[in-house]
Structure formats: C-alpha cells, structure tokens
Amino acid sequence: MQVLQNGRFAVSTWSLHRLLGAVHAYSPDPDKSAAPKEPYGLGAAALIDVPAALSARGVNRLEVCSFHLPSLDAAYISELRDAMAASNVLFQTLLVEDGDPSHPETAERDVKWMAEWIDIAAALGAERMRVIAGKQKPTEENLARAARHLHWLADKADGSGVRVVVENWFDLLPSPVEMNWLLDRLDGKVGLNGDLGNWAAPAKYEGLADIMGRAEICHAKADYGVAGLDAEDYRTCLEMCERAGYDGPFTLIYDSPFFPNEWDGILLQKAFIEDFLREAPARRTA
C-alpha cells in the first residue's frame, strides 16, 4: 500500500450531518415527503460551501448523501458542480439513500426510482452512485431478486459515466458469503464500496479481509467510546484492508457525538490513517 496522498481521502456529507442540518427524504415511497426536516438541528453551513471547506483541510474528494441535496433543479446541480470544480474537489460518489431492490413487492418500483438518480449523478459529475443492495433477509429468492434488479440498474447506467456500486450494508448482506455471491452474479457491472463499520466485531475483521480486495472505495468509519476513538478496532480494520490489497481512497465517516465539532473527528481519523499508511513499509519488512 502506498503512502497516502490527499487524493486518497474523501469525506461523506453524513460526517457533517449536524453541520449541514436539514435533510430531504427523497424516496420511491409516495407516502414520504422530501420537504426539509431538521432531525440533527438547524445546521450552520450549506452544502454548496462544503467543497471549499474540504479543500482547505487537505481533502479533495466528496461523497454526498442524496438527502443533503437541497434541490434537484438543474440550476442548483450546476451550481454545486461549479463549486466542486472551483475547489478542485472530485465528486466521488452520490449516495442514494433509499430504495430496496430485494423487496418482494416494491423492488421494481424502487429500482426504477434509483435509475432516475443516474442523470442527477452524471450532471453532478459524480464518478459513482452507491445504492442500497437490499434490506430483506438473505434468502436465495431475495438475493436473486436484488441481483436481477441491480443488473438492470447497471445496464441503465451504461454510457452515463457513472458506475453503480453497492455496500456491505443492511440485512441482505450480513457476511462475505452473501456479498461475494452478489458481486459474482453481477459480473463486474456493479462495484463495491466496502464499509469498515457496518458489520459487527469480531467477525467483521475476517469479513473485511475477504471482501476489501474487491472494493473500489471504502467508508472508513471509526467507532468511538467514552474515551474517544477505538484505536484498536480502527487499526485492525485498516490491517484487514491492507491484507486484502486495498489501495483505493478512504472516505472519512465520522458518526459520533464525541466531538461536538464534526471536523475534529474527521481530521482525527484522517491523521490516524495517514500514520497507519506511513508505517506500511515497516510492517512489510517486519
């Protein structure tokens, strides 16, 4: 693994959800409203200002949760893309935060709704669009349904410049067995965003070592306790990435009340990973 460069760090807007405040629950469910809600408080910054804030902190990749987009109008999309370009920040991934391709009743509706986000992701200049693979239990039927719909979605994205990826997340993908089965059935048409925090320890460590060699991007989420960052857990997760040969970007996911200022948690995790990768040559020769 190479010494980390700025180009290997990203931040998800989820890591700044208190700073950003309002969320818009875009959904295929007609009973859900996309009107702004403030479950995390009023917020103190706008999404349009995040690229410059990232650049000032030595990060030049951004992932945006769909619910953090205050508008889907073409004018706003263009404005946000211009803000990214002005700060030399790459739009790594649009995170589409609803839908269930594994659902026996609503999968077709949901995946058609997901497909509507392809054009939005392309207009934003996003390299990838992360979708939810499925929330149902990992039965053979549910896994096959998800695979079929995700294959269709990837076909819809062909030629758009946007690559569809899924994540080791929710009930459909509780272990490497299901994760690898799904990726194998998708024949490389759908990529993997490996998340360090979605599976539970201690089983997650070997699980990450199994799947992270297939990952294109990584949600580097850290756990926090009363004393702060769980360094042993975070280091072990990074060691599993290293064992698997993962050499892609790390998206800094800070999701804890430990630091009131979310940037403090984000930058602590950035420094932790930098130190870990700086030590990589010594580990290889030990």
Side-chain angles (χ1 to χ4, degrees), residues 145-221:
R145 183 183 301 110
R148 183 172 68 253
H149 287 303
L150 290 167
H151 200 290
W152 176 87
L153 184 64
D155 284 343
K156 286 292 183 181
D158 277 349
S160 68
V162 177
R163 179 160 169 79
V164 176
V165 298
V166 293
E167 186 174 331
N168 53 315
W169 194 22
F170 286 116
D171 284 355
L172 189 73
L173 303 173
S175 81
V177 173
E178 297 82 10
M179 188 76 257
N180 285 318
W181 185 96
L182 183 64
L183 292 174
D184 289 346
R185 296 310 180 281
L186 293 169
D187 299 320
K189 294 181 69 68
V190 173
L192 173 61
N193 169 44
D195 190 294
L196 306 186
N198 285 344
W199 290 342
K204 74 171 179 178
Y205 302 127
E206 289 301 322
L208 291 170
D210 190 314
I211 69 167
M212 286 306 296
R214 307 184 75 163
E216 303 172 10
I217 51 179
C218 171
H219 278 176
K221 181 179 178 181

Side-chain angles (χ1 to χ4, degrees), residues 100-124:
D100 182 358
S102 69
H103 196 285
E105 297 174 1
T106 60
E108 186 171 346
R109 177 200 72 182
D110 289 7
V111 79
K112 287 179 178 178
W113 174 84
M114 288 175 170
E116 296 173 4
W117 287 90
I118 296 169
D119 287 345
I120 298 171
L124 286 164

Side-chain angles (χ1 to χ4, degrees), residues 19 34 64 83 101 116 126-127 132 151 201 259 262 284:
L19 180 69
V64 175
E116 296 173 4
E127 287 188 333
I132 296 167
H151 200 290
F259 292 108
E262 289 162 308
R284 285 195 293 267

Side-chain angles (χ1 to χ4, degrees), residues 13-69:
T13 57
W14 177 248
S15 300
L16 297 167
H17 61 268
R18 296 196 300 270
L19 180 69
L20 292 173
V23 296
H24 302 254
Y26 304 111
S27 174
D29 184 344
D31 293 331
K32 290 184 179 180
S33 169
K37 298 179 178 64
E38 296 169 339
Y40 312 113
L42 296 176
L47 177 61
I48 203 81
D49 300 321
V50 170
L54 281 181
S55 183
R57 291 167 172 83
V59 179
N60 66 356
R61 290 170 174 264
L62 178 63
E63 295 196 342
V64 175
C65 299
S66 54
F67 51 67
H68 279 140
L69 290 168

